[in-house]
Amino acid sequence: LILSGDHIYKMDYEVMLDYHKANKADVTIAAMPVPIEEASRFGVVITDEHKKIQEFEEKPEHPRSNLASMGIYIFSADKMYKYLEEDEADKKSSNDFGKNVLPKMLTSGEKMVAYTFDGYWKDVGTINSLFESNMDLLGDAPKFDISDPSWRIRSRNPIAPPQYIGKKARVVDSIVVSGCEIEGTVENSILSHDVKIAEGAVVRNSIIYAGAEIEKNAVIDHAIIDENVKVGKGAKIGAEQKGSSLSIAVLGRDITVSDNAVVEAGKIIDENV
């Protein structure tokens, strides 16, 4: 079982394994439909009516299918060893499953089948997809539920006191975890641990990572703020979005934004402002 590390989903791999065995496949590729305009970001599979893979295209410029590989593969072990050894011996290979190993298996006539997945899955390989996947955690009926008691998601728990919400603070439709101190306004946002939001500051539609400090009267909208960033008084980061396309402002780790500074929507900043 081969997995990618930059995807967000919940899957029972045993169900996929049973499917692999039932089809007597040499390799089974988990796949799901994506919007055709996004298909060029992925490996795309073309199957027959029995889900047997006929063609495999790695990030095609003009995709002929919207069935995207999820980067989750089950190999029959002997075939995987064989093709990995051959790939290692090929000095021209880039040693990549999608670019080299899977296409060679297909042209060699190995049995490859697609396992269609119909749950939540997000490839967080872009700024927008990272932002969207975080926003999918919010709301009364989140697209991706991290509070489901039947399927716990384990993560690191920092040693920090409980969050503190001040008398004048306002927190709406947000996730706020331990160690946060909020005196200002937080709307539709996710705050990692030990984030400080000063009185008069406003954070909307944003992701704030650990240790960040947002000072008085700063306004943050549609932004990703990395760890230990300090945003000065009256600074403005990002902007309210209009239309369907997102334009996310990003501040890199450990930087400082001066008082009253402006970082426009879509800017990616990795040094002090």
Side-chain angles (χ1 to χ4, degrees):
L1 174 62
I2 309 296
L3 307 175
S4 292
D6 58 353
H7 300 161
I8 298 173
Y9 61 97
K10 301 176 186 178
M11 178 188 285
D12 185 344
Y13 301 122
E14 193 166 10
V15 177
M16 181 177 170
L17 179 59
D18 289 342
Y19 180 87
H20 175 81
K21 292 177 179 177
N23 282 279
K24 296 182 171 62
D26 297 308
V27 61
T28 300
I29 300 176
M32 68 181 301
V34 298
I36 192 66
E37 61 270 17
E38 295 183 18
S40 60
R41 289 178 49 210
F42 308 101
V44 173
V45 297
I46 299 170
T47 68
D48 63 15
E49 65 272 19
H50 303 296
K51 296 297 182 183
K52 185 176 180 181
I53 296 172
Q54 305 297 306
E55 296 182 57
F56 184 91
E57 300 177 319
E58 179 65 11
K59 299 181 179 179
E61 187 175 348
H62 303 289
R64 292 181 291 127
S65 166
N66 72 329
L67 193 60
S69 166
M70 297 171 64
I72 300 170
Y73 315 125
I74 292 179
F75 286 85
S76 296
D78 56 342
K79 292 294 177 71
M80 186 182 75
Y81 300 151
K82 174 182 183 294
Y83 283 94
L84 285 180
E85 287 171 357
E86 290 179 2
D87 187 71
E88 179 65 16
D90 182 0
K91 301 304 180 184
K92 296 181 180 179
S93 175
S94 54
N95 305 129
D96 185 273
F97 277 112
K99 292 178 182 178
N100 307 112
V101 177
L102 294 174
K104 187 172 183 181
M105 291 185 72
L106 190 62
T107 57
S108 299
E110 306 294 358
K111 187 173 183 181
M112 302 173 66
V113 298
Y115 170 75
T116 304
F117 181 68
D118 60 0
Y120 180 95
W121 177 77
K122 183 79 77 171
D123 180 334
V124 290
T126 68
I127 294 294
N128 282 359
S129 61
L130 173 64
F131 180 85
E132 290 166 356
S133 64
N134 277 271
M135 295 299 107
D136 286 345
L137 304 178
L138 301 175
D140 294 334
K143 294 179 181 179
F144 190 70
D145 186 5
I146 57 174
S147 301
D148 181 0
S150 70
W151 197 306
R152 293 294 189 190
I153 294 178
R154 312 294 178 183
S155 63
R156 291 176 299 172
N157 290 314
I159 298 173
Q163 66 264 44
Y164 172 77
I165 312 297
K167 290 182 179 180
K168 296 181 180 180
R170 182 171 180 265
V171 179
V172 181
D173 193 22
S174 297
I175 294 174
V176 179
V177 299
S178 55
C180 290
E181 299 177 13
I182 302 174
E183 301 285 357
T185 297
V186 178
E187 299 176 354
N188 199 56
S189 295
I190 295 177
L191 274 56
S192 188
H193 64 89
D194 297 303
V195 170
K196 294 179 174 60
I197 311 294
E199 184 177 345
V202 177
V203 175
R204 297 190 186 97
N205 311 305
S206 295
I207 306 156
I208 314 293
Y209 284 97
E213 296 183 18
I214 315 302
E215 297 190 5
K216 286 187 175 183
N217 301 319
V219 177
I220 297 172
D221 198 344
H222 284 85
I224 299 174
I225 311 294
D226 207 347
E227 295 181 355
N228 304 316
V229 170
K230 298 186 187 303
V231 177
K233 298 174 184 176
K236 290 182 169 49
I237 314 296
E240 182 180 352
Q241 302 290 300
K242 297 178 181 178
S244 57
S245 61
L246 291 172
S247 188
I248 309 302
V250 180
L251 299 184
R253 185 173 302 182
D254 298 323
I255 69 172
T256 297
V257 177
S258 300
D259 294 353
N260 302 310
V262 175
V263 176
E264 298 174 349
K267 294 290 186 181
I268 299 177
I269 306 296
D270 61 0
E271 56 186 15
N272 293 343
V273 179

